[in-house]
Every structure is written in structure tokens, then in C-alpha cells.
Amino acid sequence: MKVRTRSTAFIGTICLVASLALTTASADEPAAPRQAAKVALREVAKAQNPIAGAAGPGGTVWIAERAGTVRVLDDKGLGEPVLDISGDTTTDGERGLLGIAFDKRFAHFYISYTNLEGTSTVDEFAVRNGKIRPNTRRTVITQTQPYPNHNGGDIRFGPDGYLYIALGDGGSGGDPHGNGQNLDTLLGKMLRIDPQGGKPYAIPRDNPFVNDPNAKDEIWAYGLRNPWRFSFDAHTGDLLIGDVGQSDWEEIDWAPAKSRGGENYGWSQMEGTHPFRGGTEPANHVPPVHEYDRTGLGCSVTGGYVYRGRAIPALRGQYVFSDYCDGTLRTLRMRNGKVTGESDLGVNGGEVISFVQSGDGELYVLAIGGSVSRIDPA
């Protein structure tokens, strides 16, 4: 795929996710309801505010801690930090080290964080023999933030080999600057770039707005409030976004692997499938595949992954997610982009801030209080 280069400036615990805020389309999922898989949570390590993770080289799992450290998980637990940017970030508001990712060849490691000025930043490091080379650090893309909340900050490489970056609407409350629907800003968007295709990055030529003079070329999708965690189904390539709601509705957005981008998920005209404060539903609104209200214990959706591991066959193909305030692990089953069933896995992960998928498809649950747990068969 051809790309063209362009350089454009661009990315308290409960506060972190309370304003952050499902489902996967899996063609191999049967439509008939099924019993929930029997699972258990096994704590495998303790960390200092674990916040994100990524499958690493050699079958390892790398865990990011909010204050700026990255550690590698093995059979003995978490090792000493392999990276420490604590002097470059701050944890006030919803800031800190927010996301990590490897490219497909494990040749480069990427971190997403807010710098000391609160600017969302994605940096790159070269990796050699499974180790970060600190002297290769370079900044790929930045985005100033008007407020210290709704940073988003999740990063992930898609099946197409490009880097996807989730950014919140800029913060405060109710999207006061209208960033969600404004295509002339990177805030409130899902971005798609090629960090190796140019200096500091390249824009894929098939991004949906490259020929629109009134839109930022980096944008892949828009109308997002705080897409705190997103993932790609390792089997189908479908994109799933957990977008944290304002005050009433939490939502999961979905796009099929064949999507050409450009989806408008509605914020801030819409909160889920509901007009927000008298908003008008955009004609091109793509409604969530799943939403839930805040009449229960939930307050902030934590998007997860479609389970593709082997340890729990009954869970395979289901989208696993949670909520920061409720902590219950739940699943969705889908067929052709429609939810065909919901389940409660009967286990609680505490203040679930993130999920991590290992290279073999097994899932880990991170609680901001420190627990790193694996979802095992009961």
C-alpha cells in the first residue's frame, strides 16, 4: 500500500477512568444461547498501578505502570523495569503512561503518554534481541490537550500493519469545543498512521479523509468521547472500541475488518443510541453494537478482547470486557455484527483498568490497585 509522508503535531486513579467512558463480530459464533464459560481469575503478579500491556517478543507479556515504568512478566512475576519515563510524565488528572505496543516484527516498541505539559505523545524505540534501545527514542506524533481528562491514549497495530491511536475529545465535560464531530482536529478520533513510512510518520493513502481539505488526514474514525481501550479480533480483524460515556450510557463500537474507515460514532450529538443534551443524530451515525446504562454499578466501560486462546474452549470467540466501577467480567457473542448473547463470567477483577492479550491469545486483567491476573479455566 502506498503512503505519503506528513509531519503533523498531534496524544487520581478513579478520576482516570471515571470519565474515560463491545463486542465482536465473529462469523464462527453460533446464534443459539450458550452457558457462560467457567473461568477463574488467577493473580500472577503485583504491580504499581498497572494500566496497559502488550504481547512481547519470545512469548513475553509487557506491563506498563501508570507512573512511567514498563516491566516484563514471566513465570516468576514482574521483573525490574526495562523502561522508565517517570521523569517525563505526570499522573495528575487522567495523565501518565497510558498505552504500549510492539510492531508485528517486535522491531520497534511504542509508548503513549502525556508529557509534563499534558501533551499526548507517542514515542518509538528500536528493539534488538528483545531489548529496548533507549538511545533510539524518537517522538512520532503529539497532540496538545485542553484539559487533563479524556486523553484516551491506547495504541495498537492493526492487521494491516499500521499504528492505530485512540484520542479522547479533549476533556472537561460534554465536549465543550465540539471536537467529536469536528474533522479539523485529532481529538475525539481514532487515528491510523504508518510510523515507519516517513519522518516522523506517513499517512496511508487509503485513509478515509486524505482528499478532504477540511479534515485531518490521520483520522480513521470519529465521534468518540474517550475510547479508553480498543482491540482487533485476532481471528477476524474486526475493530472493537470501548468508548466511555458522559453520565448515562457506556458503549462498545464495532467495525468489520473490511471497513474503509470514516465511521462516525456520534459523540457528542449522541451518547450511545441516545441524543445527548438535545443533539441531533448525524445521518452517518454508526450506533454501538452494545450499550448499558449507569443505573447499576457500572460507570466506565473497560474494553477488552475477543478471546482466541486455547485454555478455555467455551470462551473462544466471545468478547470479554468489564467496567472500572463494577469489575465484573462479562462477554458478548456476535454474528454478522449483531449481538446474539451476553454472559456474566461470575468473577470480579476489582477496578479493572485494562486487559492484555498474550501472543497465544490468553487474557490478563489489570486492576489499577495492583493486581495482574490471568483468566484461567475454573
Side-chain angles (χ1 to χ4, degrees), residues 95-133:
R95 294 168 174 165
L97 176 57
L98 303 177
I100 60 175
F102 283 94
D103 62 17
K104 289 191 172 184
R105 296 185 298 113
F106 300 109
H108 298 91
F109 181 65
Y110 296 85
I111 59 173
S112 172
Y113 66 100
T114 50
N115 68 15
L116 296 176
E117 287 72 45
T119 297
S120 291
T121 306
V122 175
D123 284 358
E124 175 196 271
F125 297 83
V127 177
R128 178 176 294 173
N129 298 324
K131 296 182 178 181
I132 293 173
R133 299 175 61 196

mmCIF file of all heavy atoms in Angstrom, residues 95-133:
data_model
loop_
_atom_site.group_PDB
_atom_site.id
_atom_site.type_symbol
_atom_site.label_atom_id
_atom_site.label_comp_id
_atom_site.label_asym_id
_atom_site.label_seq_id
_atom_site.Cartn_x
_atom_site.Cartn_y
_atom_site.Cartn_z
ATOM 1 N N ARG A 95 -3.732 11.599 33.486
ATOM 2 C CA ARG A 95 -2.484 11.557 32.738
ATOM 3 C C ARG A 95 -1.573 10.430 33.191
ATOM 4 O O ARG A 95 -1.841 9.743 34.161
ATOM 5 C CB ARG A 95 -1.780 12.905 32.870
ATOM 6 C CG ARG A 95 -2.530 14.050 32.222
ATOM 7 C CD ARG A 95 -1.981 15.396 32.609
ATOM 8 N NE ARG A 95 -2.623 16.477 31.853
ATOM 9 C CZ ARG A 95 -2.555 17.754 32.180
ATOM 10 N NH1 ARG A 95 -1.866 18.126 33.254
ATOM 11 N NH2 ARG A 95 -3.158 18.662 31.452
ATOM 12 N N GLY A 96 -0.473 10.258 32.446
ATOM 13 C CA GLY A 96 0.508 9.241 32.775
ATOM 14 C C GLY A 96 0.908 8.447 31.553
ATOM 15 O O GLY A 96 0.657 8.844 30.407
ATOM 16 N N LEU A 97 1.562 7.316 31.779
ATOM 17 C CA LEU A 97 1.840 6.358 30.713
ATOM 18 C C LEU A 97 0.552 5.590 30.474
ATOM 19 O O LEU A 97 0.041 4.912 31.364
ATOM 20 C CB LEU A 97 2.968 5.416 31.141
ATOM 21 C CG LEU A 97 3.324 4.274 30.187
ATOM 22 C CD1 LEU A 97 3.705 4.791 28.801
ATOM 23 C CD2 LEU A 97 4.457 3.434 30.780
ATOM 24 N N LEU A 98 -0.006 5.667 29.266
ATOM 25 C CA LEU A 98 -1.363 5.201 29.013
ATOM 26 C C LEU A 98 -1.454 4.015 28.065
ATOM 27 O O LEU A 98 -2.479 3.321 28.050
ATOM 28 C CB LEU A 98 -2.208 6.354 28.464
ATOM 29 C CG LEU A 98 -2.272 7.602 29.351
ATOM 30 C CD1 LEU A 98 -3.068 8.700 28.672
ATOM 31 C CD2 LEU A 98 -2.863 7.275 30.709
ATOM 32 N N GLY A 99 -0.431 3.765 27.259
ATOM 33 C CA GLY A 99 -0.512 2.654 26.319
ATOM 34 C C GLY A 99 0.858 2.241 25.828
ATOM 35 O O GLY A 99 1.790 3.054 25.788
ATOM 36 N N ILE A 100 0.995 0.961 25.466
ATOM 37 C CA ILE A 100 2.233 0.447 24.879
ATOM 38 C C ILE A 100 1.884 -0.513 23.745
ATOM 39 O O ILE A 100 0.815 -1.117 23.739
ATOM 40 C CB ILE A 100 3.139 -0.262 25.920
ATOM 41 C CG1 ILE A 100 2.399 -1.456 26.552
ATOM 42 C CG2 ILE A 100 3.604 0.721 26.976
ATOM 43 C CD1 ILE A 100 3.274 -2.283 27.491
ATOM 44 N N ALA A 101 2.797 -0.658 22.793
ATOM 45 C CA ALA A 101 2.559 -1.560 21.662
ATOM 46 C C ALA A 101 3.878 -1.917 20.984
ATOM 47 O O ALA A 101 4.817 -1.106 20.959
ATOM 48 C CB ALA A 101 1.618 -0.918 20.642
ATOM 49 N N PHE A 102 3.949 -3.111 20.435
ATOM 50 C CA PHE A 102 5.041 -3.542 19.562
ATOM 51 C C PHE A 102 4.527 -3.608 18.127
ATOM 52 O O PHE A 102 3.340 -3.899 17.893
ATOM 53 C CB PHE A 102 5.520 -4.944 19.938
ATOM 54 C CG PHE A 102 6.385 -5.008 21.161
ATOM 55 C CD1 PHE A 102 5.826 -5.271 22.401
ATOM 56 C CD2 PHE A 102 7.758 -4.825 21.071
ATOM 57 C CE1 PHE A 102 6.621 -5.343 23.537
ATOM 58 C CE2 PHE A 102 8.564 -4.901 22.197
ATOM 59 C CZ PHE A 102 7.991 -5.159 23.439
ATOM 60 N N ASP A 103 5.423 -3.363 17.181
ATOM 61 C CA ASP A 103 5.050 -3.656 15.807
ATOM 62 C C ASP A 103 5.095 -5.167 15.613
ATOM 63 O O ASP A 103 5.492 -5.930 16.503
ATOM 64 C CB ASP A 103 5.927 -2.908 14.808
ATOM 65 C CG ASP A 103 7.400 -3.278 14.878
ATOM 66 O OD1 ASP A 103 7.750 -4.321 15.462
ATOM 67 O OD2 ASP A 103 8.222 -2.516 14.345
ATOM 68 N N LYS A 104 4.666 -5.622 14.439
ATOM 69 C CA LYS A 104 4.483 -7.063 14.247
ATOM 70 C C LYS A 104 5.779 -7.850 14.300
ATOM 71 O O LYS A 104 5.786 -9.041 14.649
ATOM 72 C CB LYS A 104 3.764 -7.320 12.919
ATOM 73 C CG LYS A 104 2.310 -6.899 12.954
ATOM 74 C CD LYS A 104 1.573 -7.406 11.725
ATOM 75 C CE LYS A 104 0.080 -7.147 11.869
ATOM 76 N NZ LYS A 104 -0.703 -7.706 10.743
ATOM 77 N N ARG A 105 6.894 -7.225 13.967
ATOM 78 C CA ARG A 105 8.181 -7.933 13.966
ATOM 79 C C ARG A 105 8.929 -7.751 15.287
ATOM 80 O O ARG A 105 10.054 -8.234 15.418
ATOM 81 C CB ARG A 105 9.038 -7.433 12.801
ATOM 82 C CG ARG A 105 8.455 -7.730 11.426
ATOM 83 C CD ARG A 105 9.403 -7.331 10.309
ATOM 84 N NE ARG A 105 9.665 -5.889 10.317
ATOM 85 C CZ ARG A 105 10.843 -5.334 10.601
ATOM 86 N NH1 ARG A 105 11.879 -6.093 10.918
ATOM 87 N NH2 ARG A 105 10.990 -4.023 10.571
ATOM 88 N N PHE A 106 8.315 -7.087 16.241
ATOM 89 C CA PHE A 106 8.963 -6.767 17.519
ATOM 90 C C PHE A 106 10.290 -6.036 17.299
ATOM 91 O O PHE A 106 11.229 -6.168 18.065
ATOM 92 C CB PHE A 106 9.201 -8.033 18.347
ATOM 93 C CG PHE A 106 7.937 -8.785 18.681
ATOM 94 C CD1 PHE A 106 7.650 -9.995 18.079
ATOM 95 C CD2 PHE A 106 7.033 -8.245 19.584
ATOM 96 C CE1 PHE A 106 6.486 -10.679 18.385
ATOM 97 C CE2 PHE A 106 5.855 -8.929 19.896
ATOM 98 C CZ PHE A 106 5.588 -10.143 19.298
ATOM 99 N N ALA A 107 10.303 -5.243 16.225
ATOM 100 C CA ALA A 107 11.497 -4.455 15.920
ATOM 101 C C ALA A 107 11.427 -3.064 16.531
ATOM 102 O O ALA A 107 12.459 -2.398 16.670
ATOM 103 C CB ALA A 107 11.678 -4.345 14.404
ATOM 104 N N HIS A 108 10.218 -2.628 16.888
ATOM 105 C CA HIS A 108 10.033 -1.313 17.487
ATOM 106 C C HIS A 108 8.989 -1.389 18.588
ATOM 107 O O HIS A 108 8.016 -2.140 18.498
ATOM 108 C CB HIS A 108 9.598 -0.281 16.443
ATOM 109 C CG HIS A 108 10.597 -0.075 15.357
ATOM 110 N ND1 HIS A 108 10.573 -0.807 14.184
ATOM 111 C CD2 HIS A 108 11.670 0.773 15.262
ATOM 112 C CE1 HIS A 108 11.588 -0.422 13.415
ATOM 113 N NE2 HIS A 108 12.260 0.523 14.045
ATOM 114 N N PHE A 109 9.214 -0.581 19.611
ATOM 115 C CA PHE A 109 8.327 -0.508 20.772
ATOM 116 C C PHE A 109 7.808 0.916 20.875
ATOM 117 O O PHE A 109 8.568 1.878 20.725
ATOM 118 C CB PHE A 109 9.094 -0.883 22.040
ATOM 119 C CG PHE A 109 8.273 -0.868 23.304
ATOM 120 C CD1 PHE A 109 7.228 -1.749 23.482
ATOM 121 C CD2 PHE A 109 8.574 0.029 24.330
ATOM 122 C CE1 PHE A 109 6.476 -1.753 24.658
ATOM 123 C CE2 PHE A 109 7.837 0.045 25.511
ATOM 124 C CZ PHE A 109 6.781 -0.859 25.669
ATOM 125 N N TYR A 110 6.503 1.044 21.120
ATOM 126 C CA TYR A 110 5.871 2.370 21.152
ATOM 127 C C TYR A 110 5.208 2.603 22.512
ATOM 128 O O TYR A 110 4.627 1.686 23.099
ATOM 129 C CB TYR A 110 4.822 2.483 20.036
ATOM 130 C CG TYR A 110 5.434 2.395 18.664
ATOM 131 C CD1 TYR A 110 5.685 1.159 18.074
ATOM 132 C CD2 TYR A 110 5.805 3.546 17.963
ATOM 133 C CE1 TYR A 110 6.280 1.069 16.827
ATOM 134 C CE2 TYR A 110 6.398 3.462 16.702
ATOM 135 C CZ TYR A 110 6.634 2.216 16.148
ATOM 136 O OH TYR A 110 7.234 2.132 14.915
ATOM 137 N N ILE A 111 5.318 3.826 22.997
ATOM 138 C CA ILE A 111 4.672 4.215 24.235
ATOM 139 C C ILE A 111 3.781 5.419 23.971
ATOM 140 O O ILE A 111 4.109 6.298 23.173
ATOM 141 C CB ILE A 111 5.694 4.544 25.350
ATOM 142 C CG1 ILE A 111 6.629 5.676 24.930
ATOM 143 C CG2 ILE A 111 6.493 3.296 25.730
ATOM 144 C CD1 ILE A 111 7.546 6.171 26.051
ATOM 145 N N SER A 112 2.633 5.438 24.640
ATOM 146 C CA SER A 112 1.698 6.555 24.550
ATOM 147 C C SER A 112 1.550 7.135 25.947
ATOM 148 O O SER A 112 1.191 6.423 26.889
ATOM 149 C CB SER A 112 0.348 6.056 24.027
ATOM 150 O OG SER A 112 -0.634 7.070 24.105
ATOM 151 N N TYR A 113 1.825 8.414 26.093
ATOM 152 C CA TYR A 113 1.811 9.033 27.416
ATOM 153 C C TYR A 113 1.515 10.520 27.276
ATOM 154 O O TYR A 113 1.555 11.079 26.176
ATOM 155 C CB TYR A 113 3.161 8.832 28.113
ATOM 156 C CG TYR A 113 4.328 9.544 27.452
ATOM 157 C CD1 TYR A 113 4.815 10.754 27.945
ATOM 158 C CD2 TYR A 113 4.935 9.018 26.300
ATOM 159 C CE1 TYR A 113 5.872 11.409 27.333
ATOM 160 C CE2 TYR A 113 5.983 9.665 25.681
ATOM 161 C CZ TYR A 113 6.453 10.868 26.198
ATOM 162 O OH TYR A 113 7.494 11.521 25.578
ATOM 163 N N THR A 114 1.213 11.150 28.404
ATOM 164 C CA THR A 114 1.100 12.600 28.440
ATOM 165 C C THR A 114 2.388 13.161 29.036
ATOM 166 O O THR A 114 2.838 12.699 30.083
ATOM 167 C CB THR A 114 -0.110 13.037 29.281
ATOM 168 O OG1 THR A 114 -0.077 12.368 30.542
ATOM 169 C CG2 THR A 114 -1.407 12.703 28.563
ATOM 170 N N ASN A 115 2.980 14.127 28.360
ATOM 171 C CA ASN A 115 4.248 14.672 28.852
ATOM 172 C C ASN A 115 3.987 15.653 29.998
ATOM 173 O O ASN A 115 2.847 15.827 30.447
ATOM 174 C CB ASN A 115 5.054 15.300 27.717
ATOM 175 C CG ASN A 115 4.423 16.564 27.158
ATOM 176 O OD1 ASN A 115 3.534 17.170 27.753
ATOM 177 N ND2 ASN A 115 4.882 16.985 25.994
ATOM 178 N N LEU A 116 5.017 16.293 30.476
ATOM 179 C CA LEU A 116 4.888 17.155 31.649
ATOM 180 C C LEU A 116 3.981 18.356 31.413
ATOM 181 O O LEU A 116 3.478 18.951 32.362
ATOM 182 C CB LEU A 116 6.276 17.613 32.110
ATOM 183 C CG LEU A 116 7.204 16.498 32.592
ATOM 184 C CD1 LEU A 116 8.588 17.058 32.919
ATOM 185 C CD2 LEU A 116 6.616 15.777 33.802
ATOM 186 N N GLU A 117 3.760 18.696 30.159
ATOM 187 C CA GLU A 117 2.834 19.786 29.830
ATOM 188 C C GLU A 117 1.426 19.268 29.576
ATOM 189 O O GLU A 117 0.520 20.042 29.271
ATOM 190 C CB GLU A 117 3.316 20.547 28.590
ATOM 191 C CG GLU A 117 4.529 21.437 28.834
ATOM 192 C CD GLU A 117 5.802 20.634 29.028
ATOM 193 O OE1 GLU A 117 6.035 19.680 28.252
ATOM 194 O OE2 GLU A 117 6.556 20.945 29.977
ATOM 195 N N GLY A 118 1.235 17.947 29.661
ATOM 196 C CA GLY A 118 -0.074 17.355 29.414
ATOM 197 C C GLY A 118 -0.339 17.024 27.962
ATOM 198 O O GLY A 118 -1.453 16.632 27.609
ATOM 199 N N THR A 119 0.663 17.154 27.101
ATOM 200 C CA THR A 119 0.502 16.860 25.678
ATOM 201 C C THR A 119 0.546 15.356 25.435
ATOM 202 O O THR A 119 1.466 14.671 25.889
ATOM 203 C CB THR A 119 1.614 17.537 24.864
ATOM 204 O OG1 THR A 119 1.493 18.957 25.018
ATOM 205 C CG2 THR A 119 1.523 17.173 23.393
ATOM 206 N N SER A 120 -0.445 14.842 24.729
ATOM 207 C CA SER A 120 -0.441 13.430 24.361
ATOM 208 C C SER A 120 0.685 13.175 23.372
ATOM 209 O O SER A 120 0.835 13.888 22.381
ATOM 210 C CB SER A 120 -1.785 13.027 23.746
ATOM 211 O OG SER A 120 -2.802 13.044 24.725
ATOM 212 N N THR A 121 1.466 12.135 23.644
ATOM 213 C CA THR A 121 2.694 11.884 22.892
ATOM 214 C C THR A 121 2.853 10.395 22.621
ATOM 215 O O THR A 121 2.596 9.577 23.505
ATOM 216 C CB THR A 121 3.921 12.378 23.693
ATOM 217 O OG1 THR A 121 3.727 13.750 24.056
ATOM 218 C CG2 THR A 121 5.200 12.227 22.903
ATOM 219 N N VAL A 122 3.276 10.062 21.430
ATOM 220 C CA VAL A 122 3.647 8.684 21.101
ATOM 221 C C VAL A 122 5.113 8.677 20.697
ATOM 222 O O VAL A 122 5.511 9.377 19.764
ATOM 223 C CB VAL A 122 2.781 8.104 19.961
ATOM 224 C CG1 VAL A 122 3.276 6.713 19.562
ATOM 225 C CG2 VAL A 122 1.314 8.032 20.391
ATOM 226 N N ASP A 123 5.915 7.910 21.423
ATOM 227 C CA ASP A 123 7.341 7.777 21.145
ATOM 228 C C ASP A 123 7.664 6.364 20.682
ATOM 229 O O ASP A 123 6.962 5.403 21.011
ATOM 230 C CB ASP A 123 8.171 8.087 22.393
ATOM 231 C CG ASP A 123 8.275 9.571 22.700
ATOM 232 O OD1 ASP A 123 7.728 10.378 21.916
ATOM 233 O OD2 ASP A 123 8.870 9.919 23.731
ATOM 234 N N GLU A 124 8.757 6.253 19.945
ATOM 235 C CA GLU A 124 9.204 4.964 19.389
ATOM 236 C C GLU A 124 10.609 4.644 19.882
ATOM 237 O O GLU A 124 11.463 5.529 20.015
ATOM 238 C CB GLU A 124 9.203 5.049 17.857
ATOM 239 C CG GLU A 124 9.766 3.831 17.151
ATOM 240 C CD GLU A 124 10.098 4.140 15.690
ATOM 241 O OE1 GLU A 124 9.190 3.976 14.861
ATOM 242 O OE2 GLU A 124 11.245 4.560 15.408
ATOM 243 N N PHE A 125 10.850 3.356 20.135
ATOM 244 C CA PHE A 125 12.178 2.844 20.454
ATOM 245 C C PHE A 125 12.480 1.670 19.540
ATOM 246 O O PHE A 125 11.592 0.851 19.245
ATOM 247 C CB PHE A 125 12.254 2.336 21.899
ATOM 248 C CG PHE A 125 12.032 3.376 22.959
ATOM 249 C CD1 PHE A 125 10.741 3.731 23.336
ATOM 250 C CD2 PHE A 125 13.106 3.991 23.584
ATOM 251 C CE1 PHE A 125 10.524 4.678 24.320
ATOM 252 C CE2 PHE A 125 12.897 4.939 24.580
ATOM 253 C CZ PHE A 125 11.611 5.285 24.942
ATOM 254 N N ALA A 126 13.705 1.563 19.101
ATOM 255 C CA ALA A 126 14.125 0.355 18.404
ATOM 256 C C ALA A 126 14.301 -0.761 19.425
ATOM 257 O O ALA A 126 14.621 -0.526 20.590
ATOM 258 C CB ALA A 126 15.426 0.593 17.639
ATOM 259 N N VAL A 127 14.080 -1.998 18.979
ATOM 260 C CA VAL A 127 14.231 -3.177 19.823
ATOM 261 C C VAL A 127 15.220 -4.122 19.161
ATOM 262 O O VAL A 127 15.124 -4.397 17.958
ATOM 263 C CB VAL A 127 12.877 -3.886 20.040
ATOM 264 C CG1 VAL A 127 13.052 -5.157 20.869
ATOM 265 C CG2 VAL A 127 11.871 -2.944 20.699
ATOM 266 N N ARG A 128 16.180 -4.606 19.934
ATOM 267 C CA ARG A 128 17.148 -5.556 19.408
ATOM 268 C C ARG A 128 17.285 -6.717 20.390
ATOM 269 O O ARG A 128 17.483 -6.508 21.582
ATOM 270 C CB ARG A 128 18.511 -4.899 19.190
ATOM 271 C CG ARG A 128 19.591 -5.864 18.668
ATOM 272 C CD ARG A 128 20.889 -5.131 18.384
ATOM 273 N NE ARG A 128 20.728 -4.181 17.282
ATOM 274 C CZ ARG A 128 21.679 -3.320 16.922
ATOM 275 N NH1 ARG A 128 22.830 -3.277 17.581
ATOM 276 N NH2 ARG A 128 21.484 -2.502 15.902
ATOM 277 N N ASN A 129 17.140 -7.930 19.863
ATOM 278 C CA ASN A 129 17.227 -9.131 20.697
ATOM 279 C C ASN A 129 16.288 -9.063 21.892
ATOM 280 O O ASN A 129 16.623 -9.468 23.005
ATOM 281 C CB ASN A 129 18.667 -9.358 21.167
ATOM 282 C CG ASN A 129 19.638 -9.582 20.024
ATOM 283 O OD1 ASN A 129 19.282 -10.214 19.030
ATOM 284 N ND2 ASN A 129 20.840 -9.056 20.145
ATOM 285 N N GLY A 130 15.097 -8.515 21.643
ATOM 286 C CA GLY A 130 14.081 -8.446 22.678
ATOM 287 C C GLY A 130 14.287 -7.367 23.710
ATOM 288 O O GLY A 130 13.557 -7.317 24.702
ATOM 289 N N LYS A 131 15.248 -6.474 23.502
ATOM 290 C CA LYS A 131 15.538 -5.421 24.465
ATOM 291 C C LYS A 131 15.407 -4.048 23.829
ATOM 292 O O LYS A 131 15.797 -3.839 22.686
ATOM 293 C CB LYS A 131 16.944 -5.603 25.045
ATOM 294 C CG LYS A 131 17.110 -6.891 25.847
ATOM 295 C CD LYS A 131 18.510 -6.986 26.447
ATOM 296 C CE LYS A 131 18.657 -8.253 27.284
ATOM 297 N NZ LYS A 131 20.008 -8.361 27.895
ATOM 298 N N ILE A 132 14.853 -3.114 24.612
ATOM 299 C CA ILE A 132 14.709 -1.739 24.150
ATOM 300 C C ILE A 132 16.066 -1.062 24.068
ATOM 301 O O ILE A 132 16.922 -1.244 24.936
ATOM 302 C CB ILE A 132 13.803 -0.954 25.121
ATOM 303 C CG1 ILE A 132 12.374 -1.494 25.074
ATOM 304 C CG2 ILE A 132 13.800 0.536 24.793
ATOM 305 C CD1 ILE A 132 11.461 -0.877 26.120
ATOM 306 N N ARG A 133 16.277 -0.293 23.009
ATOM 307 C CA ARG A 133 17.491 0.501 22.864
ATOM 308 C C ARG A 133 17.135 1.961 23.181
ATOM 309 O O ARG A 133 16.619 2.692 22.321
ATOM 310 C CB ARG A 133 18.032 0.370 21.450
ATOM 311 C CG ARG A 133 18.398 -1.076 21.073
ATOM 312 C CD ARG A 133 18.812 -1.179 19.627
ATOM 313 N NE ARG A 133 19.985 -0.359 19.359
ATOM 314 C CZ ARG A 133 20.387 -0.015 18.135
ATOM 315 N NH1 ARG A 133 19.684 -0.404 17.076
ATOM 316 N NH2 ARG A 133 21.469 0.730 17.969
#
